[in-house]
Amino acid sequence: MNRSAEAGPVASAPPASPAERLAAGFAAHVGGWARRLGADDRTQRTAGQAAAALSLATSAGHVCLSLQELAGGTAIGMDSATLRATLISAGVVGTPEEPGAMPMILDEEGRLYLHRYFDYERRLAARLVRATSAMSMAPFEVQVEARQLLDELFAGNEAALHGRVDWQKIAAALALRGRLTVISGGPGTGKTTTVVNLLACLVARDPDCRIALAAPTGKAAARMTEAIRQRALHLPEALQARLPIESSTVHRLLGVTPAGGGFVHHAVHPLAIDVLVVDEASMLDLALATRLLEAVPDSARIILLGDKDQLSAVESGAVFAELSADPGLTAACRGTLGALCGLDPGRLDTPEPARQSPLKDAVVWFTQNFRFATDSGIGRLAADINGARAMDAVAWLRSGADGAIRWLDEGGAQPGDAATAQLLHGYAAYLEAVLRDPRDQARITAAFGGFRALCAVREGPRGMLALNERMTRHARDVLAPLEDVSTRDGLSNWFVGRPVMVLRNDHVLKLFNGDIGITLPDQNGTLVVVFPDASGGFRCVAPVRMPEHQTAFAMTVHKAQGSEFDEVLVLLPQQRSPVLTRELLYTAVTRARQRVTLVCSAEVLAATILSPTRRHSGLLARLRDATAAGPPSP
């Protein structure tokens, strides 16, 4: 962030990165704009410096830039009040009241935005306020019917809860009451079970209810479909038959236009749905979240599922973390929920909010984990990471008290022998499956899903690219008996057993960013890339038709969001880095269902746990503005 605050206009040396080149170009554009409006040299220079810093900040995931931090940069050299006056006088900075066509917007609390990001925040806030202002629960008779359904669908939870409040049931009741529900919980806390029972309740009341399931990536969408299918087995067959059987990526749901960048569905041409359920919503950036929710008709319910403690989107914004910041309930809402769930409203004690938010009566935090206890290996480590208990985590890991967690205290430039051995061992079952029968697509795919190497960074000897290169050499040695198939047709980079991840959406092939396929021979012995399909089967794509992709033995933690594996190997860099944050480590650890091997030095581990992600945004402020203004028209 300091680099962003101190950035200046175009330097004499060529900028080193695409983000810096973009910032330099934007600075020159803004400075030239100010000059044409008659600004003096100092004002032009200040406007250019602010533009460059703002551009770098948005490239780093921030939605806006604090004027106070910007004023503190050595290149600016003025206090916040003087900087505000200078930027406004330059003629290139608008205000929320008078945004005009200015390239930047400065709000009253000192947030400097690119105009389009301010517009996204304001539009998203307006849509959310419309959703929270609309109550869906009808008269008393309907409440009685809903209570009966909720009692039936959540009856199975009673034995496990031992008299405690069933927050899954509360969340479903909250979604019946209103048109916006945000459910935050880690893996294994019951989000999918809750949604299955909620959807069953909705289709029981309205068999013609139109439900759309979506996720930011193809992998997350496929997992959502499978999870719902598995969790719905307890339902009567008639209800199971009415549940949606397919989920899609957000982009596919909205329909990408041929022109690029646009969508078929938007505020003027909304989706024909009654319910939208979005899984892994923490991966939604500000722009995509705005365009998605604007495409949902005002009459529809919106249900967002995610984990507020996970990594935010790669692009700008931390939308889900902000939307889920406050799980507070008003007295009126507690009364309704108590009536729907058959309990004393006074028992509905909610956690202290991370931040106060206007989104009262719309947020639930799931804290009870049904997959692993908080004192188990993964649960204990995840809790220490989220609680910023760095020294406790290091001491506990060093004790080796739980066999589900292994810590390799390796801080060298290269992964050590123990880490390399763990990497090779992790993929041994997969390589054995390929060798045994390279045409057994189901067995091979299942074996590959059992283990994954996760890296914090792409580059460097402890990065994703280096691990993929190391594992590729090993895999080709092990699979050498199959190499004659691999070299056919001159496909030298392709070999039987090569896993690949799609990096760019291809709507013609129905392949999306994050999809993973495995290179195997077809019935004729020709190499194809095999992808699981929504029906539970497989489909094949010729290597020459593949969109942009990379080998996928190792992947970055960002790319692993929306995925789960039996076991993960988490490799952190040798030294501290801005990318090493508490949220990244928590996300990596919670990708595992059973076992985690963590490879890093104690110093890097402690520093990572003590480094929360900071993303500047004003969405809560925009929500307060929209709430004060009253529910706007669509």
Side-chain angles (χ1 to χ4, degrees):
M1 195 62 203
N2 289 338
R3 183 182 68 171
S4 297
E6 297 176 7
V10 183
S12 56
S17 70
E20 289 170 336
R21 290 195 294 272
L22 181 63
F26 185 53
H29 173 70
V30 168
W33 189 334
R35 182 178 62 255
R36 290 191 295 274
L37 292 175
D40 59 32
D41 290 345
R42 182 171 181 268
T43 301
Q44 293 173 37
R45 183 170 61 254
T46 301
Q49 290 169 335
L54 180 56
S55 180
L56 287 172
T58 55
S59 294
H62 301 283
V63 174
C64 54
L65 182 59
S66 164
L67 199 65
Q68 185 173 0
E69 287 194 22
L70 181 60
T74 57
I76 297 293
M78 60 180 68
D79 59 56
S80 298
T82 304
L83 178 57
R84 171 185 284 276
T86 301
L87 292 175
I88 295 295
S89 70
V92 293
V93 177
T95 64
E97 296 74 26
E98 297 182 6
M102 306 298 183
M104 296 183 288
I105 302 293
L106 180 60
D107 75 5
E108 288 301 316
E109 295 175 308
R111 300 181 190 90
L112 183 65
Y113 292 86
L114 294 177
H115 193 131
R116 69 177 179 276
Y117 284 117
F118 176 80
D119 184 55
Y120 281 139
E121 273 197 351
R122 187 151 64 176
R123 286 160 50 191
L124 179 58
R127 179 63 186 92
L128 291 166
V129 167
R130 291 204 305 275
T132 55
S133 301
M135 293 295 102
S136 297
M137 186 53 63
F140 178 75
E141 298 78 20
V142 177
Q143 291 192 33
V144 172
E145 177 194 15
R147 175 173 174 174
Q148 292 173 344
L149 284 168
L150 289 170
D151 285 345
E152 293 173 9
L153 292 167
F154 287 92
N157 286 1
E158 291 185 15
L161 290 169
H162 305 292
R164 295 189 298 271
V165 172
D166 186 353
W167 284 99
Q168 293 183 18
K169 189 177 183 180
I170 295 298
L174 198 64
L176 293 177
R177 175 184 179 272
R179 298 201 186 278
L180 173 68
T181 308
V182 181
I183 302 175
S184 174
T189 54
K191 298 189 296 293
T192 305
T193 300
T194 302
V195 166
V196 166
N197 288 337
L198 169 61
L199 296 182
C201 192
L202 292 173
V203 298
R205 296 173 61 193
D206 179 9
D208 297 321
C209 182
R210 300 167 298 175
I211 301 169
L213 307 177
T217 68
K219 182 68 174 178
R223 277 194 56 245
M224 184 185 191
T225 303
E226 180 59 27
I228 287 179
R229 185 183 296 118
Q230 292 175 354
R231 301 295 194 281
L233 294 177
H234 71 286
L235 298 175
E237 290 186 7
L239 281 182
Q240 287 188 47
R242 294 177 189 171
L243 293 182
I245 59 173
E246 184 177 355
S247 58
S248 68
T249 64
V250 171
H251 285 81
R252 185 167 58 186
L253 177 68
L254 294 177
V256 178
T257 59
F263 294 114
V264 172
H265 295 286
H266 42 73
V268 179
H269 183 217
L271 295 157
I273 59 173
D274 301 305
V275 180
L276 171 67
V277 180
V278 183
D279 198 11
E280 299 292 345
S282 60
M283 299 170 67
L284 291 174
D285 61 78
L286 174 62
L288 187 58
T290 301
R291 299 173 80 174
L292 172 62
L293 297 194
E294 282 187 333
V296 179
D298 280 20
S299 59
R301 283 182 173 87
I302 299 169
I303 301 161
L304 304 178
L305 311 174
D307 186 345
K308 62 182 175 58
D309 298 314
Q310 275 193 34
L311 280 168
S312 299
V314 175
E315 303 297 332
S316 295
V319 173
F320 188 81
E322 291 180 285
L323 297 188
S324 58
D326 190 348
L329 300 172
T330 62
C333 182
R334 290 171 192 263
T336 301
L337 296 178
L340 285 171
C341 298
L343 53 78
D344 178 0
R347 297 183 62 197
L348 297 177
D349 293 326
T350 57
E352 285 296 317
R355 284 175 291 172
Q356 295 290 332
S357 165
L359 295 185
K360 298 288 186 183
D361 303 338
V363 178
V364 177
W365 293 356
F366 286 175
T367 56
Q368 167 133 4
N369 201 296
F370 298 94
R371 182 177 303 164
F372 40 76
T374 54
D375 60 352
S376 69
I378 297 174
R380 166 74 181 266
L381 181 55
D384 280 348
I385 293 168
N386 273 342
R389 296 186 290 270
M391 294 304 101
D392 289 349
V394 171
W396 179 75
L397 287 169
R398 186 166 279 134
S399 73
D402 194 307
I405 303 289
R406 184 184 184 192
W407 177 34
L408 301 179
D409 187 359
E410 295 184 2
Q414 301 279 346
D417 292 342
T420 301
Q422 185 65 27
L423 173 69
L424 304 186
H425 174 74
Y427 283 115
Y430 166 68
L431 298 178
E432 180 184 350
V434 177
L435 268 178
R436 180 175 300 177
D437 183 358
R439 290 180 173 81
D440 191 342
Q441 299 172 347
R443 179 186 178 91
I444 291 169
T445 299
F448 185 68
F451 174 85
R452 199 58 41 88
L454 304 180
C455 300
V457 295
R458 281 176 47 86
E459 311 287 343
R462 297 167 72 95
M464 177 268 294
L465 295 177
L467 252 64
N468 271 324
E469 183 178 347
R470 174 69 183 85
M471 193 60 215
T472 294
R473 291 196 302 270
H474 174 72
R476 296 196 82 152
D477 288 343
V478 172
L479 301 174
L482 306 175
E483 193 72 8
D484 60 321
V485 179
S486 306
T487 55
R488 188 173 302 169
D489 300 326
L491 297 173
S492 58
N493 291 329
W494 294 89
F495 58 94
V496 174
R498 180 194 179 195
V500 293
M501 174 185 286
V502 175
L503 301 178
R504 178 176 52 81
N505 295 340
D506 188 317
H507 297 273
V508 175
L509 293 176
K510 295 184 179 180
L511 293 177
F512 299 91
N513 188 2
D515 287 354
I516 289 181
I518 298 174
T519 312
L520 298 170
D522 64 11
Q523 295 304 314
N524 299 318
T526 302
L527 282 184
V528 292
V529 186
V530 178
F531 290 90
D533 63 24
S535 66
F538 297 90
R539 59 195 182 91
C540 302
V541 177
V544 293
R545 298 194 64 198
M546 282 287 294
E548 184 182 355
H549 58 273
Q550 66 187 24
T551 302
F553 285 113
M555 58 200 301
T556 62
V557 178
H558 271 286
K559 288 291 187 182
Q561 284 185 273
S563 300
E564 290 181 358
F565 314 96
D566 292 337
E567 181 177 0
V568 297
L569 171 71
V570 181
L571 183 64
L572 301 185
Q574 178 188 19
Q575 298 177 334
R576 300 181 184 186
S577 163
V579 305
L580 294 181
T581 64
R582 181 183 305 159
E583 291 78 7
L584 179 138
L585 184 57
Y586 168 83
T587 302
V589 167
T590 55
R591 297 310 89 203
R593 301 186 189 97
Q594 299 173 9
R595 294 177 299 279
V596 174
T597 298
L598 185 59
V599 184
C600 62
S601 68
E603 179 188 6
V604 167
L605 174 61
T608 300
I609 294 174
L610 294 175
S611 301
T613 298
R614 293 179 63 225
R615 283 205 168 178
H616 293 306
S617 162
L619 182 56
L620 293 180
R622 304 286 80 78
L623 282 166
R624 288 192 293 270
D625 294 343
T627 302
S633 300

